[in-house]
Amino acid sequence: MASLNDYLFVSGLLFAIGLAGVIVRRNIIVIFMCLELMLAAASLTLVAFSRFNLSNGLPDYNGQVFVFFIITVAAAEVAVGLAIIVALYRARQTINVEDLTSMRG
């Protein structure tokens, strides 16, 4: 059986991979996916703490309910973020972050 430390290690690893991707990569779509990976790592941490926090012998589901709100916000973020990326691509014909130096076209 996996322990809380195992879940936290995997979550920290996912978060570190996402952070490295945001810092290192130059493609805006890859950066966006790495941000989503970081959000998934935070959700995994919440679910792990919720699962291992027992009250009256049952898991405390407050963290898992909070994850549903995170998923809802992430879905809205994806819709808005992809719309912005498509608009930037149409205006500039590139998805490279280094080419997007100003907000004016």
Side-chain angles (χ1 to χ4, degrees), residues 18 48 74 78 105:
V78 166

Side-chain angles (χ1 to χ4, degrees), residues 7-76:
Y7 287 108
L8 294 180
F9 177 75
V10 170
S11 177
L13 188 66
L14 285 174
F15 193 87
I17 290 170
L19 183 64
V22 168
I23 293 172
V24 173
R25 301 300 293 212
R26 299 292 176 230
N27 186 332
I28 197 165
I29 294 176
V30 174
I31 291 172
F32 193 64
M33 289 189 321
C34 289
L35 285 171
E36 292 297 323
L37 186 65
M38 292 168 61
L39 192 60
S43 296
L44 177 62
T45 300
L46 280 171
V47 170
F49 277 125
S50 175
R51 171 65 180 94
F52 285 95
N53 184 21
L54 299 177
S55 60
N56 297 329
L58 296 172
D60 182 18
Y61 293 112
N62 291 335
Q64 294 179 15
V65 171
F66 191 59
V67 168
F68 283 119
F69 291 112
I70 291 174
I71 291 170
T72 305
V73 170

